[in-house]
Amino acid sequence: MDFALSAEQQQIRDMVSEFVDEEVVPVADEIDHTDEFPRDLVDEMAELGLMGMPFPEEYGGAGLDYHSYAIGLEEISRGSGGLGTVVAAHTSLAGNMLYEFGDESQKETYLTPLAEGSDIGAFALSEAGAGSDVPAMETTAEKDGDEYVINGGKLWISNGSVAETVTVFAKTDPEAGNKGISSFVVRPEEDDGFIVENTEEKLGDKGCPTAELRFDDLRVPEDRLLGAEGDGFVQALKTLNGGRITIAARGVGIARAAFEEAREYATEREQFGQPIGEFQSIKHKLADMDTKIQAARMLMHNAADKKIRGENYIKDAAQAKLYASEISREVANEGIQIHGGYGYTKDFAAERFYRDAKLNEIYEGTSEVLRNTIGEQLLEG
Ligand SMILES: Cc1cc2nc3c(=O)[nH]c(=O)nc-3n(C[C@H](O)[C@H](O)[C@H](O)COP(=O)(O)OP(=O)(O)OC[C@H]3O[C@@H](n4cnc5c(N)ncnc54)[C@H](O)[C@@H]3O)c2cc1C
């Protein structure tokens, strides 16, 4: 395996990094404080091609490989964890559903505006009673002539209240368990019966609206079905697999932000007549933080590598996401510790990194569920 970034990948990293330093970092605290969807930043990212990084240029994307996409998402998340979720849910989840499972006409009509960033995407799988247990979903889609009528509700949908395109999972055959789930393209502005019930007040991940949605006799034409009836569960699993690589990138990005801030603080803060970074215990903390970040990034690229090669990467993506999620929380925790009392206040971003990092252990497969996945893959040989 070649660990060096190509010239193009370095260029992507430098371009996104510069954008993040100039445009995202200066407003990250404000986003955290107001919890408003940063539409202006999203528009700027669209102009730079950052809302459709992995999709081919023919569909309005930037045509980047999955390593580059992960690198871009690491940088964006270094600036703002909420913005990282906005881009990941839009691209890895909603956009990917269309790219992988949409027909040519669906790609042209719905993927292109997503990849160009003129539309925002959301992926609506989870429900109040169906988070880890996806087949327990109760939303239904009943065929009526040449339409489907969708009824039910979804919970915790990232971008759900601002999206122009939502990929919605519903049961077309409620008796068939996971084989009865199908997916649909829903257009909130065009489709009557799409209701945003609420947006959550969250611990972190601010700026990315997390919505509770209700579908009340929502009618979609039959050409909004993605793939065939009954394909939805497998589509969701495949999509979440790729998504996990980018949630690993979000973890690495937040961990880096926490580490970089703590390292700077350790050189500035003096106690007992010397910078606290001179104390061995602080040096060791920094050493452990950086080591974990490097290891998580390698797992992320390993999973991306297998995905690009077309190999089975279920275990690799789960490991990358699991490890990067846990170390980002650990690194952010040590970041607060290095700041002492200041770390526990809003005077420094250390506490924001901690709140943003925690989410990684919950969405797109909890750490417990990912350990199940990894264990099953190991035993399957
Ligand atoms: C901010 C945020 C954004 C989100 N964005 C989206 C989105 O865009 N789209 C979307 O569809 N969903 C989204 N989700 C939902 C998210 O994917 C679910 O919350 C997650 O899958 C866990 O489901 P749950 O909350 O129902 O927890 P539960 O499944 O009820 O789990 C509760 C606890 O039980 C454990 N557990 C459950 N099953 C098992 C098992 N088999 N073995 C061991 N332990 C188990 C879990 O690990 C957890 O610790 C989001 C959630 C949040 C908080």
Side-chain angles (χ1 to χ4, degrees), residues 202-240:
K202 297 174 297 183
L203 180 67
D205 195 47
K206 302 292 175 81
C208 179
T210 307
E212 179 180 355
L213 307 176
R214 184 157 63 84
F215 316 121
D216 199 358
D217 278 334
L218 185 153
R219 284 178 177 270
V220 293
E222 60 187 355
D223 65 8
R224 299 271 199 85
L225 175 71
L226 286 170
E229 277 192 22
D231 284 355
F233 185 66
V234 172
Q235 292 171 346
L237 293 187
K238 284 187 175 164
T239 298
L240 289 170

Side-chain angles (χ1 to χ4, degrees), residues 4 24 46 54 128 155 220 237 239 268 336 369:
V24 181
L155 204 56
V220 293
L237 293 187
T239 298
E268 288 167 1
I336 293 178
V369 166

Side-chain angles (χ1 to χ4, degrees), residues 123 125-126 131-132 156-158 359 362-364 366 368 372:
F123 172 89
L125 180 68
S126 303
S132 306
W156 307 300
I157 307 309
S158 303
L359 174 59
I362 297 171
Y363 64 0
E364 294 201 35
T366 63
E368 292 78 9
N372 291 346

Side-chain angles (χ1 to χ4, degrees), residues 247-265:
I247 297 303
R250 181 181 183 271
V252 174
I254 294 170
R256 250 182 73 204
F259 166 76
E260 283 166 11
E261 212 212 23
R263 182 180 54 187
E264 193 180 327
Y265 187 79

Side-chain angles (χ1 to χ4, degrees), residues 281-357:
S281 62
I282 301 292
K283 265 194 204 119
H284 284 186
K285 280 187 195 303
L286 291 169
D288 288 346
M289 290 159 83
D290 186 55
T291 304
K292 288 174 178 176
I293 292 167
Q294 303 300 333
R297 188 186 289 115
M298 281 181 152
L299 284 174
M300 172 185 93
H301 282 302
N302 170 60
D305 190 54
K306 288 208 169 168
K307 177 173 162 53
I308 290 167
R309 288 173 194 273
E311 293 174 20
N312 176 351
Y313 67 101
I314 296 173
K315 177 173 79 75
D316 308 84
Q319 286 176 323
K321 197 264 189 185
L322 171 68
Y323 187 72
S325 299
E326 295 193 344
I327 69 99
S328 69
R329 192 238 316 128
E330 289 164 12
V331 168
N333 182 46
E334 289 295 49
I336 293 178
Q337 195 67 18
I338 289 172
H339 281 76
Y342 290 109
Y344 202 66
T345 71
K346 298 263 180 195
D347 293 348
F348 286 85
E351 59 84 38
R352 166 162 61 85
F353 302 137
Y354 186 79
R355 288 185 287 108
D356 282 349

Side-chain angles (χ1 to χ4, degrees), residues 150-193:
I150 305 178
N151 278 291
K154 298 284 171 184
L155 204 56
W156 307 300
I157 307 309
S158 303
N159 298 336
S161 56
V162 294
E164 281 84 13
T165 289
V166 184
T167 54
V168 172
F169 294 82
K171 283 192 168 163
T172 39
D173 183 356
E175 309 304 317
N178 61 23
K179 293 192 173 66
I181 298 172
S182 306
S183 70
F184 299 89
V185 177
V186 168
R187 303 274 293 168
E189 282 170 13
E190 296 162 27
D191 303 334
D192 290 340

